[in-house]
């Protein structure tokens, strides 16, 4: 699943291509993509002819800031990716095509059709997303962590608390921080919260530098693969030796998600 680093990588790549251009046309043969909108027709009406003022990432959402009444929010969900500079006919699984006024296209490719488009009114405050993981200050983060009395991994995954972290990076961050994913947040020391915060930043930044985790269907907009997956320490390394101490990585389920940890150094 594309997480913050993958989405950030996509946004950085597509930004120069999209910003300042007008949306000439939007096409789709996948009504499911617009399940949270009135209809595809309503989306078409709201975005065609509008200029893309900015392309941003908010948590794991790609946000097309438009000069109209609405912004277009795209969530890649499980298998989505954005492609640019390619002919629609040569690609498979294209669920949406945004044609720009210079004739170029932004394609949304999604094998499993879990992706989601939303029209968000500029004044709408119902999105309920917490601060972005790369932007949140330490004091804000510590407050969020301490306020919740839940497994620390569950808190990291909750987009309404801090947005952008998903399953892969939650496991990686906790491995580096030496904290067991099941630990209740009210048992964490300030020292441990500091470590989680520190590694949240270093892990996400490192992943952005190597352009995301190439995992399953994730691709950068130019179609190439990202490079974090090979460097991961714990995610999907069940039964392998921990890089720190050689203990065997174990797997459990937290918040319905496969969770990987080292039983030796994660306390
Ligand atoms: Zn270990």
């Amino acid at each position: 699943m594309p997480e913050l680093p993958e989405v950030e990588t996509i946004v950085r790549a597509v930004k120069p291509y999209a910003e300042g251009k007008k949306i000439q046309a939007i096409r789709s043969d996948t009504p499911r993509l617009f399940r949270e909108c009135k209809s595809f027709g309503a989306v078409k009406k709201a975005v065609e002819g509008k200029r893309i003022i900015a392309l941003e990432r908010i948590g794991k959402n790609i946000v097309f800031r438009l000069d109209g009444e609405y912004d277009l929010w795209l969530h890649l969900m499980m298998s989505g990716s954005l492609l640019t500079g390619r002919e629609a006919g040569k690609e498979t699984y294209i669920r949406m095509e945004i044609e720009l006024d210079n004739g170029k296209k932004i394609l949304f490719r999604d094998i499993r059709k879990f992706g989601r488009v939303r029209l968000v009114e500029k004044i709408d405050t119902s999105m309920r997303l917490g601060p972005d993981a790369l932007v949140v200050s330490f004091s804000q983060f510590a407050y969020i962590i301490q306020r919740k009395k839940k497994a620390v991994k569950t808190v990291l995954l909750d987009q309404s608390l801090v947005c952008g972290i998903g399953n892969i990076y939650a496991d990686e961050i906790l491995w580096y921080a030496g904290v067991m994913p099941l630990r209740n947040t009210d048992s964490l020391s300030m020292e441990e919260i500091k470590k989680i915060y520190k590694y949240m930043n270093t892990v996400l930044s490192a992943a952005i530098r190597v352009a995301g985790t190439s995992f399953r269907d994730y691709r950068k907009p130019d179609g190439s693969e990202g490079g974090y997956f090979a460097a991961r320490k714990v995610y999907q390394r069940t039964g392998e030796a921990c890089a720190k101490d050689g203990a065997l990585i174990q797997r459990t389920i937290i918040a319905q998600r496969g969770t990987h940890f080292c039983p030796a150094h994660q306390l």
Side-chain angles (χ1 to χ4, degrees), residues 22 74 81 91 103 109 113 160 186 195 203-204 221 248 262 265:
K22 262 189 190 170
L74 173 64
S81 53
E91 279 290 339
R109 180 175 187 272
K113 298 193 191 180
S160 71
D186 65 357
K195 278 190 188 166
V203 167
L204 293 175
L248 298 186
C262 168
H265 83 270

Side-chain angles (χ1 to χ4, degrees), residues 123-163:
I123 47 159
D124 190 349
T125 53
S126 69
M127 297 304 286
R128 284 208 209 93
L129 285 177
D132 189 89
L134 281 182
V135 174
V136 65
S137 69
F138 175 70
S139 57
Q140 216 179 353
F141 182 73
Y143 173 76
I144 290 165
I145 290 278
Q146 288 173 318
R147 200 164 47 111
K148 287 283 158 187
K149 292 178 173 53
K150 282 184 181 169
V152 59
K153 173 153 179 187
T154 307
V155 171
L156 290 179
L157 289 179
D158 187 339
Q159 304 297 302
S160 71
L161 299 175
V162 178
C163 72

Side-chain angles (χ1 to χ4, degrees), residues 41-198:
V43 174
K44 208 171 157 64
K45 199 173 158 208
V47 310
E48 284 187 346
K50 300 295 187 300
R51 194 172 296 282
I52 303 167
I53 300 164
L55 192 71
E56 293 172 9
R57 178 188 58 78
I58 298 180
K60 293 185 267 184
N61 296 276
I62 297 171
V63 180
F64 291 79
R65 298 269 182 221
L66 304 177
D67 64 357
E69 197 181 333
Y70 296 96
D71 290 328
L72 185 75
W73 288 49
L74 173 64
H75 197 299
L76 304 172
M77 301 301 280
M78 300 301 286
S79 59
S81 53
L82 277 190
L83 304 170
T84 54
R86 294 172 163 226
E87 292 299 319
K90 290 184 194 158
E91 279 290 339
T92 49
Y93 308 114
I94 300 300
R95 309 301 180 193
M96 178 173 73
E97 183 181 302
I98 295 175
E99 188 181 333
L100 303 173
D101 58 352
N102 59 2
K104 292 189 174 174
K105 287 172 182 171
I106 299 171
L107 307 175
F108 175 60
R109 180 175 187 272
D110 188 6
I111 295 176
R112 301 210 266 170
K113 298 193 191 180
F114 287 135
R116 182 181 67 199
V117 166
R118 282 189 274 192
L119 274 181
V120 178
E121 251 183 289
K122 290 197 187 291
I123 47 159
D124 190 349
T125 53
S126 69
M127 297 304 286
R128 284 208 209 93
L129 285 177
D132 189 89
L134 281 182
V135 174
V136 65
S137 69
F138 175 70
S139 57
Q140 216 179 353
F141 182 73
Y143 173 76
I144 290 165
I145 290 278
Q146 288 173 318
R147 200 164 47 111
K148 287 283 158 187
K149 292 178 173 53
K150 282 184 181 169
V152 59
K153 173 153 179 187
T154 307
V155 171
L156 290 179
L157 289 179
D158 187 339
Q159 304 297 302
S160 71
L161 299 175
V162 178
C163 72
I165 303 170
N167 209 31
I168 301 176
Y169 295 108
D171 284 4
E172 294 293 307
I173 291 163
L174 294 172
W175 182 90
Y176 278 101
V179 172
M180 196 62 104
L182 259 176
R183 275 278 295 284
N184 196 298
T185 47
D186 65 357
S187 76
L188 295 174
S189 67
M190 193 49 84
E191 212 45 52
E192 288 172 317
I193 297 175
K194 270 185 195 154
K195 278 190 188 166
I196 295 170
Y197 180 76
K198 177 185 157 193

Side-chain angles (χ1 to χ4, degrees), residues 242 244-245 262 265:
C242 171
K244 264 188 197 170
D245 48 49
C262 168
H265 83 270

